[in-house]
Amino acid sequence: ECLLATGRELIVESSPNDYFWGCGYDRTGSNVLGKLLMVVREELRESREEGDGSSGDAPPSSYLLPGLYPVDT
């Protein structure tokens, strides 16, 4: 609910020391966490709008962000 309550606002991990997950001190960081949260938010919004009633057991089609590659586990 909290994530959906952000509407369509830009989400930024405002970490001055983290240039990957956050925006970094000078705001030149990648903000991967913020981007990922926005992708998840959109998936949740679409799921609710479709009213698919899914239990959330199946992962969404892809959470892959541009410039990032899947990691084999």
Side-chain angles (χ1 to χ4, degrees):
E1 294 301 321
C2 290
L3 191 55
L4 290 172
T6 63
R8 298 199 183 276
E9 292 292 322
L10 176 67
I11 298 176
V12 177
E13 166 58 23
S14 185
S15 172
N17 301 317
D18 195 332
Y19 284 79
F20 180 77
W21 293 109
C23 64
Y25 178 77
D26 58 3
R27 297 222 174 254
T28 62
S30 297
N31 188 37
V32 172
L33 180 58
K35 291 175 184 175
L36 184 58
L37 287 170
M38 290 186 289
V39 169
V40 171
R41 177 181 64 194
E42 188 58 31
E43 291 274 345
L44 285 171
R45 182 178 294 115
E46 289 173 3
S47 174
R48 286 191 175 199
E49 287 173 358
E50 292 170 1
D52 63 7
S54 76
S55 63
D57 294 338
S61 56
S62 173
Y63 283 124
L64 188 60
L65 297 172
L68 297 180
Y69 304 95
V71 176
D72 293 331
T73 54

